């Protein structure tokens, strides 16, 4: 049985719902990093007003949280996101901001000398994250961007989400860990996940029950 699973994708793609459903279905504990809260020294500032140093601080903090969360479940886990996400978010924020006006690839974007230096530091931290991912997870379940963000839930733009996936997927594939992309609503994604990972005989309830338990409450 695949016991160390990371559900991955851009912001708002459905990672939390699917990882929750998969946890219910398999009985594996669910792990996740904390939300991107205020950095130490940046209390009261909007997410869009963090300094570059505070962004790097939070990236390192969330990486540490994920390591501790995964280590607490040596028998296996379902992770909402992965350590690679912290690198993707920091790199994108530094180079393109939360609301990139276009989908211009990162490699074609201008960097100031300061931004380039910070990006190089984040990329070095990212090497640690990607190295960890290669041994921490047995499978990535990728949920693509298939629907837009709610009007009241847009801390990033649609271009940011597109760029996030375009940066995330090659990084995941480079780890050597299998990446399985699933589509549709949560029940359809859950059924595809079970098939891809061979979990048919490792469930503790039906997929319909797990999907219902994971459905967001209004």
């Amino acid at each position: 049985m695949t016991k160390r699973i990371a559900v991955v994708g851009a912001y708002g793609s459905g990672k939390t719902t699917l990882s929750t459903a998969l946890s219910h279905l398999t009985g594996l504990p669910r792990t996740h990093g904390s939300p991107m809260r205020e950095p130490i020294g940046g209390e009261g500032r909007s997410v869009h007003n963090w300094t570059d140093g505070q962004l790097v601080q939070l990236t390192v903090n969330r990486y540490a949280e994920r390591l501790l969360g995964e280590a607490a479940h040596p028998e296996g886990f379902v992770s909402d996101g992965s350590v690679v996400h912290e690198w993707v978010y920091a790199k994108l924020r530094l180079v393109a901001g939360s609301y990139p006006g276009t989908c211009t690839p990162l490699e074609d974007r201008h960097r100031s000398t300061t931004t380039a230096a910070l990006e190089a530091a984040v990329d070095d931290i990212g090497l640690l994250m990607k190295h960890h991912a290669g041994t921490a997870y047995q499978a990535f379940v990728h949920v693509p961007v298939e629907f837009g963000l709610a009007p009241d839930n847009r801390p990033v733009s649609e271009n940011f989400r597109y760029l996030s996936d375009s940066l995330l997927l090659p990084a995941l594939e480079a780890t050597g860990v299998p990446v399985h992309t699933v589509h549709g609503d949560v029940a359809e994604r859950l059924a595809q996940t079970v098939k891809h990972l061979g979990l048919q005989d490792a469930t503790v309830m039906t997929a319909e029950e797990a999907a219902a338990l994971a459905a967001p409450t209004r």
Side-chain angles (χ1 to χ4, degrees):
M1 173 182 174
T2 304
K3 293 185 176 182
R4 301 193 306 277
I5 306 162
V7 180
V8 299
Y11 181 88
S13 59
K15 296 188 300 295
T16 296
T17 302
L18 181 57
S19 62
T20 300
L22 189 56
S23 175
H24 284 307
L25 185 69
T26 61
L28 291 170
R30 178 174 165 271
T31 69
H32 57 90
S34 66
M36 288 295 258
R37 304 285 187 196
E38 295 174 336
I40 297 172
E43 292 79 2
R45 291 189 181 183
S46 162
V47 60
H48 304 297
N49 294 326
W50 292 339
T51 67
D52 291 341
Q54 288 165 346
L55 174 63
V56 175
Q57 177 203 120
L58 284 170
T59 300
V60 173
N61 182 59
R62 279 170 59 96
Y63 177 41
E65 287 181 342
R66 286 196 186 275
L67 292 180
L68 291 172
E70 294 166 4
H73 301 292
E75 75 286 357
F77 55 81
V78 177
S79 179
D80 180 353
S82 76
V83 294
V84 181
H85 281 77
E86 320 314 336
W87 167 73
V88 168
Y89 181 79
K91 186 178 179 75
L92 272 178
R93 274 288 302 268
L94 284 170
V95 178
S98 299
Y99 296 97
T102 70
C103 288
T104 302
L106 286 195
E107 59 266 25
D108 296 332
R109 290 176 181 263
H110 170 75
R111 278 94 157 149
S112 68
T113 301
T114 300
T115 297
L118 285 167
E119 182 186 12
V122 165
D123 281 344
D124 280 339
I125 296 171
L127 290 176
L128 289 173
M129 297 174 175
K130 287 178 273 189
H131 177 76
H132 171 80
T135 57
Y137 310 116
Q138 293 174 307
F140 292 114
V141 178
H142 171 242
V143 286
V145 176
E146 295 185 312
F147 44 85
L149 293 173
D152 59 347
N153 180 30
R154 294 184 177 178
V156 297
S157 70
E158 294 297 341
N159 287 338
F160 187 98
R161 299 171 79 203
Y162 170 83
L163 289 168
S164 176
D165 245 9
S166 68
L167 186 59
L168 176 65
L169 282 173
L172 296 176
E173 291 166 355
T175 67
V177 176
V179 181
H180 306 283
T181 297
V182 295
H183 300 274
D185 61 26
V186 62
E188 292 169 327
R189 289 175 169 183
L190 194 57
Q192 292 165 45
T193 299
V194 167
K195 182 176 180 180
H196 285 312
L197 303 187
L199 299 175
Q200 292 89 342
D201 298 324
T203 58
V204 298
M205 62 179 67
T206 68
E208 291 76 15
E209 290 170 331
L213 287 171
T217 56
R218 297 290 182 183

